[in-house]
Amino acid sequence: MSFAALLRSLPIPIIQAPMVGASSHGLAISVSLGGGLGFLAAGAMAAAEIGPAVAAMRLATDAPFGVNLLMAPTLAPDPQDVARALDRLTVWYEELGLPTPAPPNIFAPDFGAQLEALTAAAPPVASFAFGVLNGRQVEALHRAGSYVVGTATTVAEAQAWADAGADGLCAQGMEAGGHRGHFLEDLEASLIGTMALIRTVRAAVDLPVIAAGGIMDGHGVAAALALGAEAVQMGTAFLLADEALTSRPWRRAIATVGDDPTRLTRAFTGRHARGIQNRFMRELQLVQNEVPDYPVQNRLTQPLRAAAALADDPDMISLWAGQGVALAPTGAAADLLRQWWAEAGGAARGVVARYEKGSQS
């Protein structure tokens, strides 16, 4: 069976986006059992944790599911750059009553070890962001029995994944919450809207496209499928789901958000990501391009964000969310899936009926 056939076999062609900090086994299981495709966010997992995580998913469901890794670069940062970054964060740690942490020795899990563990675990679908695998790595995943999906923010990135042998593409529009997946061009050149990206990637690359970014309900689902996507990936729309791990201050920020609240920032992690603007983002805006590149800054702010979440302070945590976050619903994930799919059908029928009625008048 091809990857396109797998997507078409889903009762509901909605994929739950892998979101570090918000995804959970419960969320992924509920989505897969509900007829969609649940995803585990393994980017922050140690290699030894990946096999057991995949095994737990297999015990919970016979339905397909996926696992995502972040292709974090291996960096040896200048100790002086790390010291300056920690000095910049000192006032924030002090505000929470914490000492500034010592410079860490490790900034991110070893991607090579993660990939080896993921290949051995052989989930039905393996997806990747922040870069592109080489052909040997893709073939190893294929031999293990996994479909490979690459994240692309431009046509060139989609072509790079196609050249590597990927089975499908996640087209990440600029509306998407969380980290940007760009890896070939700079940020500005990679900020393409979801609607345009679906069509341009479909025209250039003969692989199934998963649309991601700004899709918050059944109307968005219908629009993306009408544009040629085989499925849609929704992340922000699941942040208030019962099974999501979204922290209390994060949930409260979403529930009380105003119009157009999200911005792109490097301040938290050293890689551009979209989230609800808060005090940390505003006050570091002018120096955000001076913070160390991902994953260094990400590691330096991890204790701060964890402590702020425990303190119920939304101003010092990364409130990742996409455009349209004000539409995020509450409820059980499986119920949300069914609601969105019913809305999608109604939206498609409504468009046809509206213009049929107009042509007759």
Side-chain angles (χ1 to χ4, degrees):
M1 179 169 62
S2 68
F3 182 60
L6 182 146
L7 293 177
R8 291 174 192 147
S9 73
L10 295 173
I12 300 175
I14 294 176
I15 296 168
Q16 162 251 314
M19 300 173 288
V20 174
S23 299
S24 67
H25 271 82
L27 180 59
I29 291 166
S30 294
V31 170
S32 286
L33 289 176
L37 184 69
F39 249 94
L40 291 179
M45 288 185 183
E49 297 175 309
I50 292 174
V54 173
M57 285 294 297
R58 285 203 168 96
L59 283 174
T61 177
D62 293 328
F65 62 90
V67 180
N68 173 263
L69 288 181
L70 305 176
M71 301 177 69
T74 301
L75 298 179
D78 186 325
Q80 292 185 346
D81 290 341
V82 174
R84 281 192 291 269
L86 285 171
D87 285 344
R88 190 180 292 118
L89 294 171
T90 294
V91 64
W92 298 91
Y93 277 104
E94 289 178 345
E95 185 172 329
L96 291 170
L98 299 174
T100 305
N105 295 319
I106 298 173
F107 293 93
D110 184 312
F111 174 72
Q114 287 180 315
L115 179 59
E116 184 177 349
L118 184 66
T119 304
V125 182
S127 76
F128 300 87
F130 301 176
V132 60
L133 299 178
N134 62 45
R136 295 191 312 278
Q137 292 167 325
V138 172
E139 180 55 33
L141 285 159
H142 284 164
R143 287 197 303 269
S146 298
Y147 293 111
V148 176
V149 176
T151 301
T153 67
T154 64
V155 169
E157 290 174 354
Q159 188 62 63
W161 272 106
D163 292 344
D167 302 289
L169 301 164
C170 179
Q172 186 196 44
M174 69 176 183
E175 303 93 331
H179 283 105
R180 301 299 304 151
H182 63 288
F183 59 91
L184 288 182
E185 297 285 350
D186 63 16
L187 175 72
E188 185 176 359
S190 307
L191 289 176
I192 301 169
T194 303
M195 291 181 66
L197 190 60
I198 296 169
R199 295 303 296 161
T200 53
V201 169
R202 285 280 295 163
V205 182
D206 188 22
L207 286 176
V209 172
I210 299 163
I215 302 170
M216 295 296 299
D217 55 23
H219 298 274
V221 173
L225 297 181
L227 287 166
E230 292 284 354
V232 301
Q233 181 169 287
M234 302 170 73
T236 302
F238 281 108
L239 284 176
L240 296 184
D242 296 344
E243 301 90 340
L245 296 178
T246 315
S247 67
R248 186 169 67 176
W250 193 356
R251 286 177 181 266
R252 189 170 68 253
I254 294 169
T256 59
V257 78
D259 296 329
D260 303 320
T262 68
R263 299 291 185 273
L264 290 169
T265 184
R266 291 183 78 253
F268 280 109
T269 70
R271 185 179 182 94
H272 282 100
R274 183 177 295 281
I276 298 170
Q277 191 173 43
N278 58 9
R279 183 162 60 91
F280 189 89
M281 289 169 62
R282 286 191 297 271
E283 294 191 12
L284 269 69
Q285 181 177 359
L286 294 180
V287 296
Q288 65 173 332
N289 290 329
E290 300 174 19
V291 307
D293 288 341
Y294 181 93
V296 178
Q297 179 74 357
N298 184 60
R299 178 65 182 84
L300 299 181
T301 65
Q302 276 178 346
L304 178 73
R305 288 176 282 150
L310 288 175
D312 201 24
D313 185 345
D315 270 320
M316 285 183 268
I317 63 176
S318 45
L319 304 168
W320 300 146
Q323 293 178 350
V325 60
L327 300 174
T330 59
D335 292 339
L336 296 178
L337 280 176
R338 288 188 287 269
Q339 173 186 322
W340 293 328
W341 192 229
E343 286 176 354
R349 291 188 297 271
V351 169
V352 173
R354 185 189 317 160
Y355 286 94
E356 283 183 344
K357 181 179 179 180
S359 67
Q360 295 167 3
S361 60

